[in-house]
Coordinates of all heavy atoms in Angstrom, one line a residue:
M1 N 0.8 -1.2 0.0 CA 0.0 0.0 0.0 C 0.9 1.3 0.0 O 0.6 2.2 -0.7 CB -0.9 -0.1 1.2 CG -1.9 1.1 1.3 SD -3.2 0.8 0.2 CE -4.3 2.0 0.8
R2 N 1.9 1.3 0.8 CA 2.8 2.5 0.9 C 3.5 2.6 -0.5 O 3.7 3.8 -0.8 CB 3.8 2.3 2.0 CG 3.2 2.3 3.4 CD 3.6 3.6 3.9 NE 3.0 3.7 5.3 CZ 2.7 4.8 5.8 NH1 2.9 5.9 5.2 NH2 2.2 4.9 7.0
I3 N 3.9 1.6 -1.1 CA 4.6 1.7 -2.4 C 3.7 2.3 -3.4 O 4.1 3.2 -4.2 CB 5.1 0.3 -2.8 CG1 6.2 -0.2 -1.9 CG2 5.6 0.3 -4.2 CD1 6.6 -1.6 -2.1
F4 N 2.4 1.8 -3.4 CA 1.5 2.4 -4.3 C 1.2 3.9 -4.1 O 1.2 4.7 -5.0 CB 0.1 1.7 -4.2 CG -1.0 2.2 -5.1 CD1 -0.9 2.0 -6.5 CD2 -2.1 2.8 -4.6 CE1 -1.9 2.5 -7.3 CE2 -3.1 3.3 -5.4 CZ -3.0 3.1 -6.8
E5 N 1.1 4.3 -2.9 CA 1.0 5.7 -2.6 C 2.2 6.5 -3.0 O 2.1 7.6 -3.5 CB 0.7 5.9 -1.1 CG -0.7 5.5 -0.6 CD -0.9 5.6 0.9 OE1 0.0 6.1 1.6 OE2 -2.0 5.3 1.3
G6 N 3.4 6.0 -2.8 CA 4.6 6.6 -3.2 C 4.7 6.8 -4.7 O 5.0 7.9 -5.1
I7 N 4.3 5.8 -5.4 CA 4.4 5.9 -6.9 C 3.3 6.9 -7.4 O 3.6 7.7 -8.2 CB 4.1 4.5 -7.5 CG1 5.3 3.6 -7.2 CG2 3.9 4.6 -9.0 CD1 5.1 2.1 -7.6
G8 N 2.2 6.9 -6.8 CA 1.1 7.8 -7.2 C 1.5 9.3 -6.9 O 1.4 10.2 -7.7
L9 N 2.1 9.5 -5.7 CA 2.6 10.8 -5.4 C 3.7 11.3 -6.3 O 3.7 12.4 -6.8 CB 3.2 10.8 -3.9 CG 3.7 12.1 -3.4 CD1 2.6 13.1 -3.2 CD2 4.4 11.9 -2.0
I10 N 4.6 10.4 -6.7 CA 5.7 10.8 -7.6 C 5.1 11.2 -9.0 O 5.5 12.1 -9.6 CB 6.7 9.6 -7.7 CG1 7.5 9.6 -6.4 CG2 7.7 9.9 -8.9 CD1 8.4 8.3 -6.3
I11 N 4.1 10.4 -9.4 CA 3.5 10.7 -10.7 C 2.8 12.0 -10.7 O 3.0 12.8 -11.7 CB 2.5 9.5 -11.1 CG1 3.3 8.3 -11.4 CG2 1.6 10.0 -12.3 CD1 2.4 7.1 -11.6
Y12 N 2.1 12.3 -9.7 CA 1.4 13.6 -9.6 C 2.4 14.8 -9.5 O 2.2 15.9 -10.1 CB 0.4 13.7 -8.4 CG -0.9 12.9 -8.7 CD1 -1.3 11.8 -8.0 CD2 -1.7 13.4 -9.7 CE1 -2.5 11.2 -8.3 CE2 -2.9 12.8 -10.0 CZ -3.3 11.6 -9.3 OH -4.4 11.0 -9.6
L13 N 3.5 14.6 -8.7 CA 4.5 15.6 -8.6 C 5.2 15.9 -10.0 O 5.5 17.0 -10.3 CB 5.5 15.3 -7.5 CG 4.9 15.4 -6.1 CD1 6.0 14.9 -5.1 CD2 4.4 16.8 -5.8
I14 N 5.4 14.8 -10.7 CA 6.0 15.0 -12.0 C 5.1 15.7 -13.0 O 5.5 16.6 -13.7 CB 6.5 13.6 -12.6 CG1 7.6 13.1 -11.8 CG2 6.8 13.7 -14.1 CD1 8.0 11.6 -12.2
L15 N 3.8 15.4 -12.9 CA 2.8 16.1 -13.8 C 2.8 17.6 -13.4 O 2.8 18.5 -14.3 CB 1.5 15.5 -13.6 CG 1.2 14.2 -14.3 CD1 -0.2 13.6 -13.9 CD2 1.4 14.3 -15.8
A16 N 2.9 17.9 -12.1 CA 2.9 19.3 -11.7 C 4.1 20.0 -12.1 O 4.1 21.2 -12.6 CB 2.7 19.4 -10.1
L17 N 5.3 19.3 -12.1 CA 6.5 20.0 -12.5 C 6.5 20.2 -14.0 O 7.0 21.2 -14.5 CB 7.7 19.1 -12.1 CG 8.1 19.1 -10.6 CD1 9.2 18.0 -10.4 CD2 8.4 20.4 -10.2
V18 N 5.9 19.3 -14.8 CA 5.8 19.5 -16.2 C 5.0 20.8 -16.5 O 5.3 21.6 -17.4 CB 5.3 18.2 -16.9 CG1 4.8 18.5 -18.4 CG2 6.3 17.1 -16.8
I19 N 3.8 20.9 -15.8 CA 3.0 22.0 -16.1 C 3.7 23.3 -15.7 O 3.6 24.4 -16.4 CB 1.6 21.8 -15.3 CG1 0.9 20.7 -15.9 CG2 0.8 23.1 -15.4 CD1 -0.3 20.2 -15.1
I20 N 4.4 23.3 -14.6 CA 5.1 24.5 -14.1 C 6.2 24.9 -15.1 O 6.4 26.1 -15.4 CB 5.7 24.3 -12.7 CG1 4.5 24.3 -11.7 CG2 6.7 25.4 -12.3 CD1 5.0 23.8 -10.3
N21 N 6.8 23.9 -15.7 CA 7.9 24.1 -16.7 C 7.3 24.8 -17.9 O 7.8 25.7 -18.5 CB 8.6 22.8 -17.0 CG 9.8 23.0 -18.0 OD1 10.4 24.1 -18.0 ND2 10.1 22.1 -18.7
R22 N 6.1 24.2 -18.4 CA 5.4 24.8 -19.5 C 5.0 26.3 -19.3 O 5.2 27.1 -20.2 CB 4.1 24.0 -19.8 CG 4.3 22.7 -20.5 CD 3.1 22.0 -20.6 NE 2.0 22.8 -21.2 CZ 0.9 22.3 -21.7 NH1 0.6 21.1 -21.7 NH2 0.0 23.1 -22.2
Q23 N 4.6 26.6 -18.1 CA 4.3 28.0 -17.7 C 5.6 28.9 -17.8 O 5.5 30.0 -18.3 CB 3.7 28.1 -16.3 CG 3.3 29.5 -15.9 CD 2.3 30.1 -16.8 OE1 1.4 29.5 -17.4 NE2 2.4 31.4 -17.0
L24 N 6.7 28.4 -17.3 CA 7.9 29.2 -17.3 C 8.4 29.4 -18.7 O 8.9 30.4 -19.1 CB 9.0 28.4 -16.5 CG 8.8 28.5 -15.0 CD1 9.9 27.6 -14.3 CD2 8.8 29.9 -14.4
Q25 N 8.2 28.4 -19.6 CA 8.6 28.5 -21.0 C 7.7 29.6 -21.7 O 8.2 30.4 -22.5 CB 8.5 27.2 -21.7 CG 9.6 26.3 -21.4 CD 9.4 24.9 -22.1 OE1 8.4 24.7 -22.7 NE2 10.4 24.1 -22.0
A26 N 6.4 29.6 -21.4 CA 5.5 30.6 -21.9 C 5.9 32.0 -21.5 O 5.9 32.9 -22.2 CB 4.1 30.3 -21.5
K27 N 6.2 32.1 -20.2 CA 6.7 33.4 -19.7 C 7.9 33.9 -20.3 O 8.0 35.1 -20.7 CB 6.9 33.3 -18.2 CG 7.1 34.6 -17.5 CD 7.2 34.3 -16.0 CE 6.4 35.3 -15.2 NZ 6.6 35.1 -13.7
R28 N 8.9 33.0 -20.5 CA 10.1 33.4 -21.2 C 9.8 33.8 -22.7 O 10.4 34.8 -23.2 CB 11.1 32.2 -21.2 CG 11.8 32.1 -19.9 CD 12.9 31.1 -20.0 NE 13.0 30.3 -18.7 CZ 12.9 29.0 -18.6 NH1 12.8 28.3 -19.6 NH2 13.0 28.5 -17.4
G29 N 9.0 33.1 -23.4 CA 8.6 33.4 -24.7 C 7.9 34.7 -24.8 O 8.2 35.5 -25.8
F30 N 7.1 35.1 -23.9 CA 6.4 36.3 -23.9 C 7.4 37.4 -23.6 O 7.3 38.5 -24.3 CB 5.3 36.3 -22.8 CG 4.5 37.6 -22.8 CD1 3.7 38.0 -23.8 CD2 4.6 38.4 -21.6 CE1 3.0 39.2 -23.7 CE2 3.9 39.6 -21.6 CZ 3.1 40.0 -22.6
K31 N 8.3 37.3 -22.7 CA 9.3 38.3 -22.4 C 10.3 38.5 -23.6 O 10.7 39.6 -23.8 CB 10.1 38.0 -21.2 CG 9.3 38.2 -19.9 CD 10.1 38.0 -18.6 CE 9.3 38.3 -17.4 NZ 10.1 38.2 -16.2
A32 N 10.6 37.4 -24.3 CA 11.5 37.6 -25.4 C 10.7 38.0 -26.7 O 11.3 38.0 -27.8 CB 12.2 36.2 -25.7
K33 N 9.4 38.2 -26.6 CA 8.5 38.7 -27.7 C 8.4 37.7 -28.8 O 8.2 38.0 -30.0 CB 9.1 40.0 -28.3 CG 9.3 41.1 -27.3 CD 8.3 42.2 -27.5 CE 8.7 43.4 -26.6 NZ 7.8 43.6 -25.5
K34 N 8.5 36.4 -28.4 CA 8.3 35.3 -29.4 C 6.8 34.9 -29.5 O 6.4 34.4 -30.5 CB 9.1 34.0 -29.0 CG 10.6 34.2 -29.1 CD 11.3 32.9 -28.6 CE 12.8 33.1 -28.7 NZ 13.5 32.0 -28.3
I35 N 6.0 35.2 -28.5 CA 4.6 35.0 -28.5 C 3.9 36.3 -28.1 O 4.4 37.1 -27.4 CB 4.1 33.8 -27.6 CG1 4.5 34.1 -26.2 CG2 4.7 32.5 -28.1 CD1 3.9 33.0 -25.2
N36 N 2.7 36.5 -28.7 CA 2.0 37.7 -28.4 C 1.2 37.6 -27.1 O 1.1 36.5 -26.5 CB 1.1 38.2 -29.5 CG 0.1 37.2 -29.9 OD1 -0.1 36.2 -29.1 ND2 -0.5 37.4 -31.1
E37 N 0.6 38.6 -26.6 CA -0.1 38.7 -25.3 C -1.3 37.7 -25.3 O -1.6 37.1 -24.3 CB -0.5 40.1 -25.0 CG -1.2 40.2 -23.6 CD -1.5 41.6 -23.2 OE1 -1.1 42.5 -23.9 OE2 -2.1 41.8 -22.2
Q38 N -2.0 37.7 -26.5 CA -3.2 36.8 -26.5 C -2.9 35.3 -26.4 O -3.5 34.6 -25.6 CB -3.9 37.1 -27.9 CG -5.3 36.6 -27.9 CD -6.0 37.0 -29.3 OE1 -5.3 37.2 -30.3 NE2 -7.2 37.2 -29.2
V39 N -1.8 34.9 -27.0 CA -1.4 33.5 -26.9 C -0.9 33.2 -25.5 O -1.1 32.2 -24.9 CB -0.3 33.2 -28.0 CG1 0.3 31.8 -27.7 CG2 -0.8 33.3 -29.4
Y40 N -0.1 34.2 -24.9 CA 0.3 34.1 -23.6 C -0.8 33.9 -22.6 O -0.7 33.1 -21.7 CB 1.2 35.2 -23.2 CG 1.7 35.2 -21.8 CD1 2.7 34.3 -21.4 CD2 1.2 36.1 -20.8 CE1 3.1 34.3 -20.0 CE2 1.6 36.1 -19.5 CZ 2.6 35.2 -19.1 OH 3.0 35.1 -17.8
Q41 N -1.8 34.7 -22.7 CA -3.0 34.6 -21.8 C -3.7 33.3 -21.9 O -4.1 32.7 -20.9 CB -4.0 35.8 -22.1 CG -3.5 37.1 -21.8 CD -3.2 37.3 -20.2 OE1 -3.9 36.7 -19.4 NE2 -2.3 38.1 -19.9
R42 N -3.8 32.8 -23.2 CA -4.4 31.5 -23.4 C -3.6 30.4 -22.7 O -4.1 29.5 -22.1 CB -4.6 31.2 -24.9 CG -5.5 30.0 -25.2 CD -5.6 29.8 -26.6 NE -4.3 29.5 -27.1 CZ -3.9 29.7 -28.4 NH1 -4.7 30.2 -29.3 NH2 -2.6 29.4 -28.7
L43 N -2.3 30.4 -22.9 CA -1.4 29.4 -22.4 C -1.4 29.4 -20.8 O -1.4 28.4 -20.2 CB 0.0 29.5 -22.9 CG 0.3 29.2 -24.3 CD1 1.7 29.5 -24.7 CD2 0.0 27.7 -24.5
T44 N -1.4 30.6 -20.3 CA -1.5 30.8 -18.8 C -2.8 30.2 -18.3 O -2.7 29.5 -17.2 CB -1.3 32.2 -18.5 OG1 0.0 32.7 -19.0 CG2 -1.3 32.5 -17.0
K45 N -3.8 30.5 -18.9 CA -5.1 30.0 -18.4 C -5.2 28.5 -18.5 O -5.6 27.8 -17.5 CB -6.2 30.6 -19.3 CG -7.6 30.3 -18.8 CD -8.7 31.0 -19.7 CE -10.1 30.6 -19.3 NZ -11.0 31.3 -20.1
R46 N -4.7 27.9 -19.6 CA -4.7 26.5 -19.7 C -3.8 25.8 -18.7 O -4.2 24.8 -18.1 CB -4.2 26.1 -21.1 CG -4.2 24.6 -21.4 CD -3.7 24.2 -22.7 NE -4.4 24.9 -23.8 CZ -3.9 25.1 -25.0 NH1 -2.6 24.7 -25.3 NH2 -4.5 25.7 -25.9
N47 N -2.6 26.4 -18.5 CA -1.7 25.8 -17.5 C -2.2 25.9 -16.1 O -2.1 25.0 -15.3 CB -0.3 26.5 -17.6 CG 0.4 26.1 -18.8 OD1 0.2 25.1 -19.4 ND2 1.4 27.0 -19.2
L48 N -2.9 27.0 -15.8 CA -3.5 27.1 -14.4 C -4.6 26.1 -14.2 O -4.7 25.5 -13.1 CB -4.1 28.5 -14.3 CG -4.7 28.8 -12.9 CD1 -3.7 28.7 -11.8 CD2 -5.4 30.2 -12.9
I49 N -5.5 25.9 -15.2 CA -6.5 24.9 -15.1 C -5.9 23.5 -14.9 O -6.4 22.7 -14.1 CB -7.4 24.9 -16.3 CG1 -8.3 26.2 -16.3 CG2 -8.4 23.7 -16.4 CD1 -9.0 26.5 -17.6
L50 N -4.9 23.2 -15.7 CA -4.3 21.9 -15.6 C -3.6 21.6 -14.3 O -3.7 20.5 -13.6 CB -3.2 21.6 -16.7 CG -3.7 21.4 -18.1 CD1 -2.6 21.4 -19.1 CD2 -4.5 20.1 -18.2
L51 N -2.9 22.6 -13.8 CA -2.3 22.5 -12.4 C -3.3 22.4 -11.3 O -3.1 21.6 -10.4 CB -1.4 23.7 -12.2 CG -0.5 23.7 -11.0 CD1 0.5 22.5 -11.1 CD2 0.3 25.0 -10.9
T52 N -4.4 23.1 -11.4 CA -5.5 23.0 -10.4 C -6.1 21.6 -10.5 O -6.3 21.0 -9.4 CB -6.6 24.0 -10.7 OG1 -6.0 25.3 -10.7 CG2 -7.7 23.9 -9.7
L53 N -6.3 21.0 -11.6 CA -6.8 19.6 -11.7 C -5.8 18.6 -11.1 O -6.2 17.7 -10.4 CB -7.1 19.3 -13.2 CG -8.3 19.9 -13.8 CD1 -8.4 19.6 -15.3 CD2 -9.6 19.5 -13.0
V54 N -4.5 18.8 -11.4 CA -3.5 17.8 -10.8 C -3.5 17.9 -9.3 O -3.5 16.9 -8.7 CB -2.2 18.1 -11.4 CG1 -1.0 17.4 -10.7 CG2 -2.1 17.8 -12.9
V55 N -3.6 19.1 -8.8 CA -3.6 19.3 -7.3 C -4.8 18.7 -6.7 O -4.8 18.0 -5.7 CB -3.4 20.7 -6.9 CG1 -3.6 20.9 -5.5 CG2 -2.0 21.2 -7.3
I56 N -6.0 18.9 -7.3 CA -7.2 18.3 -6.8 C -7.2 16.8 -6.8 O -7.5 16.1 -5.9 CB -8.4 18.8 -7.6 CG1 -8.7 20.3 -7.3 CG2 -9.7 18.0 -7.3 CD1 -9.7 21.0 -8.1
F57 N -6.7 16.2 -7.9 CA -6.6 14.7 -8.0 C -5.6 14.2 -7.0 O -5.7 13.1 -6.5 CB -6.3 14.3 -9.4 CG -7.4 14.4 -10.4 CD1 -7.2 14.9 -11.7 CD2 -8.7 14.1 -10.0 CE1 -8.2 15.0 -12.6 CE2 -9.8 14.1 -10.9 CZ -9.5 14.6 -12.2
L58 N -4.5 15.0 -6.8 CA -3.5 14.5 -5.8 C -4.1 14.5 -4.4 O -3.9 13.5 -3.7 CB -2.3 15.5 -5.8 CG -1.2 15.3 -4.8 CD1 -0.6 13.9 -5.0 CD2 -0.2 16.4 -4.8
L59 N -4.9 15.5 -4.1 CA -5.5 15.6 -2.8 C -6.5 14.4 -2.6 O -6.6 13.8 -1.6 CB -6.2 16.9 -2.5 CG -5.2 18.1 -2.3 CD1 -6.0 19.4 -2.2 CD2 -4.3 17.9 -1.1
L60 N -7.3 14.2 -3.7 CA -8.3 13.1 -3.7 C -7.5 11.7 -3.5 O -8.0 10.8 -2.8 CB -9.1 13.0 -4.9 CG -10.2 14.1 -5.0 CD1 -10.8 14.0 -6.4 CD2 -11.3 13.9 -3.9
F61 N -6.4 11.6 -4.2 CA -5.6 10.3 -4.1 C -5.1 10.1 -2.7 O -5.1 9.0 -2.2 CB -4.5 10.4 -5.1 CG -3.6 9.2 -5.1 CD1 -4.0 8.0 -5.7 CD2 -2.4 9.3 -4.6 CE1 -3.2 6.9 -5.6 CE2 -1.5 8.2 -4.5 CZ -2.0 7.0 -5.1
L62 N -4.6 11.2 -2.1 CA -4.0 11.0 -0.8 C -4.9 10.9 0.4 O -4.6 10.3 1.4 CB -2.9 12.1 -0.6 CG -1.7 12.0 -1.5 CD1 -0.8 13.3 -1.2 CD2 -0.9 10.8 -1.3
Y63 N -6.0 11.7 0.4 CA -6.8 11.9 1.6 C -8.2 11.4 1.6 O -9.0 11.8 2.4 CB -6.8 13.4 1.9 CG -5.4 13.9 2.2 CD1 -4.8 14.9 1.3 CD2 -4.7 13.5 3.3 CE1 -3.5 15.3 1.6 CE2 -3.4 14.0 3.6 CZ -2.8 14.9 2.7 OH -1.6 15.3 3.0
T64 N -8.5 10.6 0.6 CA -9.9 10.1 0.6 C -9.9 8.6 0.3 O -8.9 8.0 -0.1 CB -10.8 10.8 -0.5 OG1 -10.2 10.5 -1.8 CG2 -10.8 12.3 -0.3
P65 N -11.0 8.0 0.5 CA -11.2 6.5 0.2 C -11.1 6.2 -1.3 O -11.2 5.0 -1.7 CB -12.5 6.1 0.8 CG -13.1 7.3 1.5 CD -12.2 8.5 1.2
F66 N -11.0 7.2 -2.2 CA -11.0 7.0 -3.6 C -9.8 6.1 -4.0 O -9.8 5.5 -5.0 CB -11.0 8.3 -4.4 CG -12.3 9.0 -4.4 CD1 -12.4 10.2 -3.8 CD2 -13.4 8.4 -5.0 CE1 -13.7 10.9 -3.8 CE2 -14.6 9.0 -4.9 CZ -14.8 10.3 -4.4
K67 N -8.7 6.1 -3.2 CA -7.6 5.4 -3.5 C -7.9 3.8 -3.5 O -7.2 3.0 -4.1 CB -6.4 5.7 -2.7 CG -6.5 5.5 -1.3 CD -5.3 6.1 -0.5 CE -5.5 6.2 0.9 NZ -4.5 6.9 1.6
M68 N -8.9 3.5 -2.8 CA -9.3 2.1 -2.7 C -9.8 1.6 -4.1 O -9.8 0.4 -4.4 CB -10.4 1.8 -1.6 CG -9.9 2.2 -0.2 SD -8.4 1.2 0.2 CE -9.2 -0.4 0.4
I69 N -10.3 2.5 -4.9 CA -10.8 2.1 -6.2 C -9.6 1.6 -7.1 O -9.7 0.6 -7.9 CB -11.4 3.3 -7.0 CG1 -12.7 3.7 -6.2 CG2 -11.7 3.0 -8.4 CD1 -13.3 5.0 -6.7
F70 N -8.4 2.2 -6.9 CA -7.2 1.8 -7.7 C -6.5 0.6 -7.3 O -5.6 0.2 -7.9 CB -6.3 3.1 -7.8 CG -7.0 4.3 -8.4 CD1 -7.3 5.4 -7.6 CD2 -7.3 4.3 -9.7 CE1 -7.9 6.5 -8.1 CE2 -8.0 5.4 -10.3 CZ -8.2 6.5 -9.5
I71 N -6.8 0.1 -6.1 CA -6.1 -1.0 -5.6 C -6.6 -2.3 -6.1 O -7.7 -2.6 -6.1 CB -6.0 -1.0 -4.0 CG1 -5.2 0.2 -3.6 CG2 -5.4 -2.2 -3.5 CD1 -5.2 0.5 -2.1

């Protein structure tokens, strides 16, 4: 059980890091004038929604009986 929780936690943290990296790349592109403001706003909104979903699923995975479904 602990191994399963550890693997799940690592997967969710990796997903969060990938989304944060995408946001940083969008920010660098906007500052370097490679993307315009409209595209930057769209990417920021998408990344925020994805990061929120990952955090919600992580909390559900760790703190509720929903993890019994996956075992």
Side-chain angles (χ1 to χ4, degrees):
M1 183 78 167
R2 292 255 181 208
I3 294 173
F4 178 69
E5 288 177 1
I7 291 171
L9 180 65
I10 290 171
I11 290 171
Y12 281 116
L13 289 177
I14 289 172
L15 286 174
L17 288 174
V18 167
I19 295 168
I20 291 169
N21 187 27
R22 285 176 47 168
Q23 180 61 31
L24 290 174
Q25 287 178 351
K27 190 178 222 179
R28 283 188 215 125
F30 179 67
K31 285 185 177 183
K33 308 252 189 247
K34 291 181 182 179
I35 59 174
N36 60 13
E37 185 175 353
Q38 195 173 30
V39 173
Y40 175 71
Q41 292 294 329
R42 190 182 64 207
L43 289 173
T44 300
K45 185 177 180 181
R46 183 185 303 158
N47 289 338
L48 181 63
I49 291 169
L50 288 173
L51 188 60
T52 304
L53 286 174
V54 167
V55 169
I56 288 171
F57 287 138
L58 175 65
L59 291 174
L60 285 174
F61 178 75
L62 290 177
Y63 297 113
T64 63
F66 287 116
K67 61 185 167 188
M68 297 303 289
I69 294 171
F70 300 110
I71 295 176

